């Protein structure tokens, strides 16, 4: 039987929620998809058809409060997108420059919108993730046992500042909140793969997330990839890649054990999301 898959990193919104150049980039990756086709893929039925075609059981859907770089996909719209869809798991986004209290905004995402985790993109919103002003928000996430995803490393989008995406900044957070689950989104993409792998091995609460990394390069970036299988989580960054199905096939083709692939593609994420393993 083929291992089921959880995709921990999916974007879905109306095209007008993103900046035009972001939509153009995504459409070009999908083989110059027409705007109508792209719009359909960004609806629950469209996304679920892609998930079915790719063997994805569950997907984490991410909000984006990053008007400077990507666009504005509100927490409300992501909650609405996932409503009544058991396979779509909404994660909120907090941009500390846009809200008076990051903690209160997370609380609202969890209590009022039914979201089940948080994604932060310090490189897009321009803040240091270990800033003490964010600690009340992390304390709440730790208390509620919801995972927090941090974008680390590079991005193709203009306006992104890589200095805010250094994985080592999360060492502070991992130490100060030992029961907070931390995902290093993109695993320090660019020149910080070693930092990401080191932190994931050092801290029980830190995981690498591999969205946007070419599967064929994973064993080059992480020579001990098999040993990191307990601390690695699959995400695709759909629709920021040509084919979700091919992305997963390429991971299944890696020369690592089936047990390791099952953890990376499903088991680790299922545990963090409270789904059946
Ligand atoms: Zn993404």
């Amino acid at each position: 039987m083929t291992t089921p898959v959880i995709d921990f990193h999916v974007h879905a919104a109306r095209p007008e929620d993103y900046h035009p150049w972001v939509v153009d980039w995504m459409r070009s990756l999908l083989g110059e998809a027409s705007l109508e086709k792209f719009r359909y893929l960004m609806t629950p039925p469209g996304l679920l058809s892609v998930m079915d075609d790719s063997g994805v059981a569950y997907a984490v859907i991410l909000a984006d409060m990053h008007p400077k770089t990507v666009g504005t996909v509100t927490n409300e719209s992501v909650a609405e997108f996932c409503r009544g869809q058991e396979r779509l798991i909404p994660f909120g986004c907090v941009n500390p420059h846009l809200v008076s209290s990051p903690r209160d905004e997370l609380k609202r995402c969890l209590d009022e919108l039914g979201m089940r985790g948080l994604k932060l993109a310090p490189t897009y919103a321009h803040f240091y993730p270990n800033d003490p002003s964010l600690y009340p928000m992390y304390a709440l996430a730790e208390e509620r046992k919801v995972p927090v995803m941090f974008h680390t490393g590079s991005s193709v989008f203009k306006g992104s500042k890589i200095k805010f995406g250094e994985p080592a900044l999360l060492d502070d957070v991992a130490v100060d909140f030992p029961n907070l689950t931390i995902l290093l989104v993109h695993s320090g993409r660019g020149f910080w793969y070693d930092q990401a792998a080191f932190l994931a091995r050092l801290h029980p609460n830190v995981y690498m997330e591999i969205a946007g990394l070419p599967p064929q390069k994973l064993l080059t970036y992480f020579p001990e990839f098999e040993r990191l299988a307990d601390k690695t989580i699959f995400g695709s960054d759909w629709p920021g890649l040509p084919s979700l199905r091919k992305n997963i096939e390429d991971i299944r083709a890696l020369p690592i054990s089936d047990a390791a692939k099952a953890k990376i593609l499903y088991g680790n994420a299922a545990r963090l999301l409270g789904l059946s393993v």
Side-chain angles (χ1 to χ4, degrees), residues 138-188:
Y138 299 146
L140 179 65
E142 183 180 51
E143 179 193 320
R144 298 291 187 89
K145 299 184 168 51
V146 293
V148 181
M149 306 169 69
F150 294 87
H151 179 114
T152 59
S154 66
S155 169
V156 296
F157 300 124
K158 53 189 176 187
S160 178
K161 292 190 176 175
I162 200 167
K163 69 176 178 182
F164 298 111
E166 183 169 6
L169 297 170
L170 276 316
D171 179 65
D172 280 344
V173 183
V175 170
D176 293 337
F177 299 92
N179 296 309
L180 175 68
T181 299
I182 293 169
L183 273 71
L184 305 175
V185 174
H186 309 304
S187 297

Side-chain angles (χ1 to χ4, degrees), residues 154-253:
S154 66
S155 169
V156 296
F157 300 124
K158 53 189 176 187
S160 178
K161 292 190 176 175
I162 200 167
K163 69 176 178 182
F164 298 111
E166 183 169 6
L169 297 170
L170 276 316
D171 179 65
D172 280 344
V173 183
V175 170
D176 293 337
F177 299 92
N179 296 309
L180 175 68
T181 299
I182 293 169
L183 273 71
L184 305 175
V185 174
H186 309 304
S187 297
R189 181 169 58 196
F191 40 77
W192 286 316
Y193 298 118
D194 289 351
Q195 280 195 11
F198 190 90
L199 288 175
R201 287 181 59 182
L202 179 66
H203 295 301
N205 55 330
V206 173
Y207 292 78
M208 304 196 315
E209 185 261 43
I210 55 173
L213 307 184
Q216 300 86 341
K217 290 284 184 68
L218 287 170
L219 285 142
T220 307
Y221 298 157
F222 308 104
E224 298 195 89
F225 194 56
E226 172 107 37
R227 288 184 64 194
L228 290 160
D230 285 318
K231 302 305 290 295
T232 302
I233 288 177
F234 170 72
S236 70
D237 220 350
W238 175 263
L241 75 169
S243 166
L244 177 55
R245 180 187 185 141
K246 172 87 167 52
N247 189 240
I248 293 167
E249 283 171 2
D250 288 346
I251 288 178
R252 290 196 199 281

Side-chain angles (χ1 to χ4, degrees), residues 9 11 62 119 186 237:
H9 191 139
H11 298 277
L62 304 172
K119 160 94 184 281
H186 309 304
D237 220 350

